[in-house]
């Protein structure tokens, strides 16, 4: 962790989450909290400072998962402590810009004993960039339960971190200067997540692969014991690598000219901790006409289904010309 990133700790933490303690893990946990934390301007209006907005090096816009996570933080701060989010449905209307703060406006649509609903609109420079509908629920015990089986895969300790794979790629023969420059920019970005793909060559499109992927993921740091905070960080994490699943069949034969999220949906099934390893399973049933659909499931290591995910996005690829 660099002093610059540590120094970006949120100046005014929201009610969700707690300040970090002295260990490195807690400091790293506070860094990821800073990516989704908001300032309260009004009981129903929250602000994300522009200093905390992340603009990935190869993207035109700020990271969409950050907007999802921040919007959920805003909504969570308007419901009772015993209401946890069970679903959210988002639309990305405009690309976010790191030159302006984001304002999150919460509409307290409904408050019931079991269910509560919230609508959130995010604006920048007076324009709407994102909307989200979210539903919250109190705990309810039921005898009847059913879930699919988790994919059979080796544990996270058997795979390399994404950054370690990229560093190894830099030392391989035949890597172009353009790819080396992209890898160097990626390694310079301090993302507070640990990602371990099970098939790195397909993940990085070194070769073609099926439109499905498995990767282990967790937050790099102690997030604390606030269940709502774990859900908000999971919303942030859920947008990582998702649309990339649809690019794998083309592999190195296609160059991505433009890719961005259109809509994003999450369903939360069982409690989890994002600072423990979870398996992110995703598959793309269709890509074409400039769009791709990707579905996903997030599993705890013990086989419990934590979340389900769906996303449609713009994907514009062109064939790589052969010299």
């Amino acid at each position: 962790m660099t002093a610059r990133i540590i120094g970006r700790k949120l100046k005014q933490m929201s009610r969700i989450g707690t300040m970090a303690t002295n260990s490195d893990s807690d400091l790293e946990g506070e860094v990821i909290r800073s990516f989704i934390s908001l300032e309260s301007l009004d009981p129903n209006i929250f602000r994300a400072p522009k200093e905390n907005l992340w603009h990935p090096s190869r993207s035109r816009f700020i990271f969409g998962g950050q907007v999802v996570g921040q919007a959920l933080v805003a909504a969570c701060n308007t419901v009772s402590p015993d209401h946890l989010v069970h679903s959210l449905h988002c639309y990305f209307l405009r690309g976010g810009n790191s030159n302006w703060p984001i304002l999150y406006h919460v509409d307290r649509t409904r408050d019931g004993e079991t269910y509560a609903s919230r609508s959130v609109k995010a604006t920048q420079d007076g324009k709407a960039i994102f909307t989200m509908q979210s539903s919250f629920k109190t705990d309810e015990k039921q005898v009847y339960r059913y879930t699919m089986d988790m994919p059979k895969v080796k544990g996270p300790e058997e795979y390399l971190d994404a950054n370690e794979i990229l560093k190894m790629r830099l030392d391989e023969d035949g890597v172009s200067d353009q790819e080396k420059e992209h890898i160097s920019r990626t390694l310079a970005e301090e993302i507070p997540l640990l990602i371990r793909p099970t098939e790195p060559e397909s993940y990085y499109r070194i070769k073609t692969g099926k439109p499905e992927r498995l990767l282990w993921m967790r937050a790099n740091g102690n997030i604390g014991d606030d269940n709502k905070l774990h859900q908000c960080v999971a919303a942030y994490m859920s947008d990582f690598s998702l649309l990339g699943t649809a690019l794998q069949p083309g592999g190195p034969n296609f160059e991505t000219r433009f890719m961005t999220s259109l809509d994003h949906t999450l369903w939360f099934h069982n409690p989890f901790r994002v600072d423990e390893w979870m398996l992110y399973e995703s598959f793309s049933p269709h890509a074409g006409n400039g769009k791709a659909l990707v579905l996903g499931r997030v599993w705890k290591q013990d086989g419990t289904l934590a979340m389900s995910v769906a996303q449609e996005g713009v994907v514009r690829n062109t064939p790589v010309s052969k010299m």
Side-chain angles (χ1 to χ4, degrees):
M1 273 308 157
T2 66
R4 178 181 64 82
I5 291 293
I6 295 285
R8 206 165 66 179
K9 296 183 299 185
L10 204 88
K11 295 178 181 178
Q12 297 182 19
M13 295 292 288
S14 68
R15 284 185 285 126
I16 295 178
T18 57
M19 296 300 289
T21 57
N22 295 325
S23 73
D24 288 343
S25 178
D26 287 336
L27 285 173
E28 290 164 342
E30 184 164 332
V31 170
I32 194 169
R33 285 192 289 270
S34 76
F35 278 88
I36 62 170
S37 296
L38 305 174
E39 300 169 350
S40 178
L41 304 182
D42 175 270
N44 298 315
I45 302 176
F46 303 85
R47 178 180 180 270
K50 65 179 183 180
E51 294 79 12
N52 284 350
L53 299 179
W54 177 45
H55 189 149
S57 60
R58 295 194 72 185
S59 174
R60 298 187 192 179
F61 313 120
I62 62 174
F63 176 52
Q66 185 174 24
V67 181
V68 178
Q70 289 176 343
L72 185 54
V73 167
C76 285
N77 277 309
T78 68
V79 298
S80 67
D82 58 344
H83 278 82
L84 295 175
V85 64
H86 72 87
S87 69
L88 56 84
H89 304 265
C90 312
Y91 280 95
F92 295 90
L93 308 177
R94 291 182 177 87
N97 192 314
S98 56
N99 293 323
W100 293 293
I102 302 177
L103 292 180
Y104 292 91
H105 310 257
V106 182
D107 181 7
R108 305 188 185 215
T109 312
R110 179 181 184 272
D111 284 301
E113 291 186 6
T114 303
Y115 286 91
S117 299
R118 294 292 184 267
S119 177
V120 180
K121 180 173 72 172
T123 63
Q124 267 193 324
D125 194 32
K127 301 181 181 67
I129 66 169
F130 170 91
T131 61
M132 181 184 79
Q133 299 289 332
S134 56
S135 182
F136 297 78
K137 185 181 183 298
T138 57
D139 190 29
E140 185 175 342
K141 302 299 182 184
Q142 286 285 320
V143 175
Y144 180 77
R145 295 181 66 86
Y146 167 78
T147 188
M148 297 178 65
D149 292 332
M150 176 178 171
K152 297 185 185 302
V153 64
K154 295 178 182 178
E157 66 281 352
E158 299 294 327
Y159 300 97
L160 293 174
D161 286 333
N163 281 358
E164 293 176 330
I165 297 169
L166 289 177
K167 290 175 183 177
M168 293 169 61
R169 178 70 174 165
L170 280 175
D171 296 330
E172 293 181 4
D173 295 331
V175 179
S176 68
D177 291 340
Q178 182 180 5
E179 184 179 352
K180 287 182 178 179
E181 181 183 355
H182 168 57
I183 291 174
S184 297
R185 288 201 307 266
T186 301
L187 290 172
E189 293 178 328
E190 311 235 8
I191 303 172
L193 302 176
L194 295 177
I195 299 172
R196 296 183 177 178
T198 63
E199 295 186 10
E201 290 187 328
S202 295
Y203 181 82
Y204 287 112
R205 296 163 62 192
I206 298 170
K207 68 176 185 179
T208 59
K210 295 180 180 179
E212 55 190 43
R213 64 173 43 161
L214 296 170
L215 58 89
W216 289 101
M217 180 183 289
R218 72 172 174 86
N220 187 16
N222 185 352
I223 302 301
D225 297 323
D226 188 326
N227 288 332
K228 280 193 174 75
L229 180 61
H230 284 269
Q231 291 184 319
C232 293
V233 175
Y236 166 82
M237 294 168 58
S238 67
D239 195 30
F240 270 91
S241 85
L242 195 56
L243 276 180
T245 308
L247 303 179
Q248 293 185 174
N253 301 319
F254 286 83
E255 181 180 359
T256 303
R257 295 296 186 182
F258 183 70
M259 184 169 68
T260 191
S261 304
L262 289 171
D263 56 33
H264 192 79
T265 299
L266 296 176
W267 294 269
F268 297 84
H269 306 303
N270 292 290
F272 56 85
R273 292 187 64 97
V274 293
D275 48 14
E276 296 178 352
W277 287 109
M278 294 196 293
L279 182 68
Y280 199 166
E281 171 196 12
S282 61
F283 58 96
S284 177
H286 180 266
N289 303 315
K291 298 191 280 67
L293 174 67
V294 184
L295 308 176
R297 290 183 282 261
V298 181
W299 303 85
K300 295 171 61 174
Q301 275 194 269
D302 65 2
T304 301
L305 183 61
M307 299 161 48
S308 295
V309 187
Q311 184 179 92
E312 188 174 46
V314 177
V315 175
R316 294 175 180 149
N317 285 350
T318 56
V320 174
S321 58
K322 304 295 184 180
M323 300 299 292

